[in-house]
Amino acid sequence: MTRGAGVELRFALALPRDPRSIPVVRRVTGDALRGLGVSEDCVDDLLVAVSEACTNAVLHARATGDFEVTGHVDDGVCMLKIMDWGRGPRPAPEDRGVLSESGRGIRIMRALVDDLDIDSAPDRGTVVHLRKRLTWRDGALVGALGRSLMHNAG
């Protein structure tokens, strides 16, 4: 959907808590971002981060049923939200050092996105928010619109 000179994109997925769902999330998210002209490095960062969050929902949620992923791109920022209906909150993992597998996914997500927020409560499960400012491929329509606006404004 266009909004002024910018572009807004939204998508939502409800998937079973099954490891085979994670490639579906990666495919939909990657195709949407690439279709807008997001740089491949930026797409890769977001795909690893969303995969980590979805893996946690699939493997560690304490409830049965689906998990949801929503994506929103607006004003050059991608926001992804991964929700499960586990009983949360989970105890904080002990810091077992850099070689420990426990907690590694959260560190990976923090390294790849600009903002990471995890909200967990017994009555609403766990919600992971990932936010990243996007970079664009050369010749991408969205990137060109932004440069055009900056050039015209200056």
Side-chain angles (χ1 to χ4, degrees):
M1 152 184 350
T2 58
R3 185 198 272 174
V7 174
E8 180 181 7
L9 168 92
R10 291 180 185 266
F11 66 87
L13 299 167
L15 298 162
R17 282 189 41 236
D18 183 305
R20 294 174 292 182
S21 296
I22 298 168
V24 174
V25 173
R26 290 178 58 86
R27 176 60 157 254
V28 169
T29 304
D31 287 353
L33 295 171
R34 287 183 189 102
L36 289 177
V38 175
S39 72
E40 201 58 38
D41 287 345
C42 192
V43 171
D44 290 345
D45 287 350
L46 284 162
L47 292 182
V48 171
V50 77
S51 294
E52 289 292 335
C54 290
T55 298
N56 286 342
V58 167
L59 297 178
H60 303 299
R62 296 181 185 175
T64 59
D66 297 345
F67 71 103
E68 291 184 13
V69 177
T70 61
H72 181 203
V73 174
D74 191 19
D75 199 26
V77 175
C78 179
M79 292 157 284
L80 297 169
K81 183 165 59 168
I82 301 85
M83 299 161 282
D84 68 56
W85 286 267
R87 291 185 309 217
R90 298 178 184 97
E94 297 174 20
D95 185 10
R96 298 182 182 127
V98 295
L99 297 179
S100 172
E101 289 186 30
S102 178
R104 197 179 283 174
I106 292 171
R107 288 191 294 268
I108 290 169
M109 287 185 282
R110 280 195 203 288
L112 296 173
V113 298
D114 298 319
D115 294 307
L116 167 67
D117 182 55
I118 301 171
D119 181 27
S120 190
D123 58 337
R124 48 178 209 277
T126 300
V127 181
V128 176
H129 299 269
L130 304 169
R131 182 180 175 280
K132 184 170 181 75
R133 179 146 305 275
L134 300 173
T135 57
W136 306 99
R137 287 190 318 258
D138 290 340
L141 174 62
V142 175
L145 287 172
R147 284 189 298 275
S148 172
L149 292 173
M150 289 188 311
H151 176 67
N152 291 337

